[in-house]
Amino acid sequence: MLVRDAMSTLVLTIGPAHTLRQAARLMSARRIGAAVVHDPDTCGLGIITERDILDAVGAGLDPDAETASTHTTTDVVFASPTWTLEEAAEAMTHGGFRHLIVLDGDGPVGIVSVRDIIRCWAPARRRPAGMAL
């Protein structure tokens, strides 16, 4: 199975000036765990995750004052839609992260998470009755 079969095509893109609270609200409303951060000044893509926001708030930082740019991971590993799920899982395991931005051509076309991969590897027919994901 390939990344394109598992990835979410709902890609939230925010700017570096978004506050952590704004990012959290947008992510929460869409029920997603990561957002792509696009910085037009650097033409770069980064990622901010729920963990980044949680760490900042847990450290006592003000989510209304802290911006996404300060908490964005810019040293990003990107996946291709044609990667196998094994390649994606290996990249995540090696890098110690749970989300990969999927690039195809000029920009992001999806995000694949550990949860997406697990859903593909543990189909509904093998889950115990009544167990929801």
Side-chain angles (χ1 to χ4, degrees):
M1 189 168 281
L2 302 178
V3 165
R4 73 171 151 243
D5 302 318
M7 71 182 190
S8 169
T9 56
L10 176 61
V11 179
L12 172 62
T13 302
I14 64 172
H18 276 81
T19 67
L20 293 186
R21 184 177 308 279
Q22 290 169 324
R25 280 186 180 143
L26 292 167
M27 290 164 58
S28 178
R30 289 163 180 79
R31 300 181 52 86
I32 56 176
V36 172
V37 180
H38 177 249
D39 188 343
D41 293 334
T42 65
C43 296
L45 292 178
I47 190 167
I48 190 166
T49 67
E50 58 196 356
R51 174 77 49 159
D52 298 322
I53 296 168
L54 183 66
D55 288 346
V57 172
L61 301 176
D62 182 354
D64 293 312
E66 293 292 314
T67 60
S69 64
T70 307
H71 301 278
T72 297
T73 300
T74 55
D75 184 20
V76 179
V77 175
F78 298 101
S80 165
T82 59
W83 278 17
T84 65
L85 294 184
E86 289 81 6
E87 288 172 307
E90 184 178 319
M92 290 177 184
T93 301
H94 180 71
F97 42 81
R98 299 177 297 155
H99 299 86
L100 287 169
I101 300 171
V102 183
L103 292 183
D104 192 16
D106 293 334
V109 294
I111 292 185
V112 65
S113 69
V114 170
R115 182 177 289 173
D116 297 327
I117 293 171
I118 290 171
R119 282 185 183 141
C120 290
W121 285 347
R125 69 180 182 277
R126 293 195 321 215
R127 283 196 310 266
M131 181 183 225
L133 284 180

